[in-house]
Amino acid sequence: MHHDALLYADDAEFTRGVAGFIRAGLRAGELPVVAEPPRQIELLRAELGSDADSVRFLDMTQLGRNPARIIAVWQGLLDECAGRGVRLRGVGEPAWVGRRANELIECRIHEQLLNVAFGDGVSWELLCPYDRRRLPASVVAGAWHSHPCVVDDDTHHNSAAYSRGEVTDVFSAELDPVPDRADRLTYERGDVARVRAAVRTFAQASGLVDGAVDDLVLSADELATNSVRHGGGSGMITTWVRPDAVLVEFSDNGTITAPLVGRLRPGVRSYGGRGIFLVNHLCDLVQIRSGATGTRVRVTMWR
């Protein structure tokens, strides 16, 4: 995979850089797939004119709502291109302006893990735009760490800050502190049904709609089951509410060592990683932190 970042300062720089990248793919007979927020898609359609008819556009605010879902989308597109005998040329902007700070942290982790998921596989191109004027400086700096090449002010730079080895730290990023008012419940083998019931009561009382309640309960079932199977036989759930979100955190004594857990589509004969993969597609944000002291999986549903 050839993985570049495009740092742009305004709409003109964005459309010029991305449209030029797309047209190069069209000339080479590649399949251009653009995953962007709707406003950016409209800018590109206007810039590309009739060439836009040959581009597949995906709404990043939907497929990348939880950044941990995105790698599986590219995986599926690569499989499709392999079946058609064409090369993939992708554009993806997960760190769009307006995302919450904790979402942007997960976007950086996602960008680091793209290099692990696809770095040694089939050849394809991926360009990741960043609004260098409106995003936090730490997010823009992160682009230099997670991309081997950065296009800044129309100039290509090999990034001296890039380090593929940084993925060893993806499970150690800080999480927002748990509030003192949070409720806690411990569980052991045989308690998964009790966990489901507790999460359902909490989610309903927190004002989530029925579909979101069901998704959170199913996620709780998967994560509590993982704890008792792989986390030492017991765990604890912590629940709390913010004005914009409902949060449930699962903690246990296990350790996760596979950085791509839950991000790649499980194979037909694969039995590992299905639970977290499902949770990633049910919840609005999933944050995994793991180390010598145990594992925390925090799931968020926006209100």
Side-chain angles (χ1 to χ4, degrees), residues 132-159:
R132 70 173 185 262
R133 290 194 177 173
R134 295 196 294 159
L135 286 170
S138 60
V139 175
V140 178
W144 291 87
H145 286 271
S146 56
H147 296 80
C149 182
V150 176
V151 182
D152 187 15
D153 198 20
D154 294 327
T155 303
H156 286 74
H157 305 270
N158 291 323
S159 176

Side-chain angles (χ1 to χ4, degrees), residues 92 98 156 160 166 168 173 211 254 297:
H156 286 74
E166 282 189 3
T168 58
V297 181

Side-chain angles (χ1 to χ4, degrees), residues 10-91:
D10 52 32
D11 290 347
E13 276 194 26
F14 169 79
T15 54
R16 182 171 64 250
V18 176
F21 177 80
I22 291 170
R23 287 189 168 116
L26 291 173
R27 289 193 298 270
E30 298 171 345
L31 172 65
V33 178
V34 173
E36 286 281 348
R39 179 181 178 277
Q40 306 297 79
I41 289 175
E42 291 309 308
L43 288 172
L44 288 171
R45 285 188 181 277
E47 176 71 19
L48 288 167
S50 61
D51 285 338
D53 296 337
S54 301
V55 179
R56 186 179 305 179
F57 292 97
L58 305 175
D59 183 351
M60 180 61 91
T61 65
Q62 296 301 313
L63 75 89
R65 186 177 179 89
N66 172 16
R69 302 174 186 170
I70 302 171
I71 284 176
V73 175
W74 293 123
Q75 179 189 18
L77 288 164
L78 283 168
D79 290 346
E80 176 189 338
C81 286
R84 294 172 53 181
V86 298
R87 191 168 184 260
L88 176 63
R89 177 167 291 237
V91 176

Side-chain angles (χ1 to χ4, degrees), residues 123-143:
S123 173
W124 64 296
E125 303 274 343
L126 178 61
L127 182 69
C128 302
Y130 286 76
D131 188 327
R132 70 173 185 262
R133 290 194 177 173
R134 295 196 294 159
L135 286 170
S138 60
V139 175
V140 178

Side-chain angles (χ1 to χ4, degrees), residues 45-245:
R45 285 188 181 277
E47 176 71 19
L48 288 167
S50 61
D51 285 338
D53 296 337
S54 301
V55 179
R56 186 179 305 179
F57 292 97
L58 305 175
D59 183 351
M60 180 61 91
T61 65
Q62 296 301 313
L63 75 89
R65 186 177 179 89
N66 172 16
R69 302 174 186 170
I70 302 171
I71 284 176
V73 175
W74 293 123
Q75 179 189 18
L77 288 164
L78 283 168
D79 290 346
E80 176 189 338
C81 286
R84 294 172 53 181
V86 298
R87 191 168 184 260
L88 176 63
R89 177 167 291 237
V91 176
E93 188 168 0
W96 65 80
V97 173
R99 295 207 83 158
R100 301 165 177 88
N102 52 0
E103 292 178 295
L104 290 171
I105 290 171
E106 299 308 308
C107 288
R108 175 169 176 171
I109 291 172
H110 156 72
E111 290 277 41
Q112 292 172 315
L113 291 176
L114 278 166
N115 302 309
V116 178
F118 304 116
D120 296 325
V122 65
S123 173
W124 64 296
E125 303 274 343
L126 178 61
L127 182 69
C128 302
Y130 286 76
D131 188 327
R132 70 173 185 262
R133 290 194 177 173
R134 295 196 294 159
L135 286 170
S138 60
V139 175
V140 178
W144 291 87
H145 286 271
S146 56
H147 296 80
C149 182
V150 176
V151 182
D152 187 15
D153 198 20
D154 294 327
T155 303
H156 286 74
H157 305 270
N158 291 323
S159 176
Y162 171 70
S163 174
R164 186 172 172 181
E166 282 189 3
V167 297
T168 58
D169 299 327
V170 294
F171 291 144
S172 63
E174 291 291 328
L175 289 173
D176 293 338
V178 176
D180 293 337
R181 68 182 183 277
D183 294 323
R184 294 170 172 82
L185 172 69
T186 59
Y187 56 90
E188 299 178 347
R189 297 183 189 278
D191 289 339
V192 174
R194 184 165 64 95
V195 170
R196 289 198 303 268
V199 170
R200 182 174 295 279
T201 299
F202 162 71
Q204 290 173 335
S206 301
L208 289 182
V209 298
D210 289 346
V213 170
D214 292 340
D215 288 345
L216 191 56
V217 171
L218 180 53
S219 298
D221 182 275
E222 294 290 343
L223 293 172
T225 299
N226 276 354
S227 286
V228 298
R229 288 181 178 174
H230 309 295
S234 64
M236 181 172 67
I237 58 170
T238 306
T239 59
W240 68 101
V241 176
R242 296 199 318 243
D244 65 336

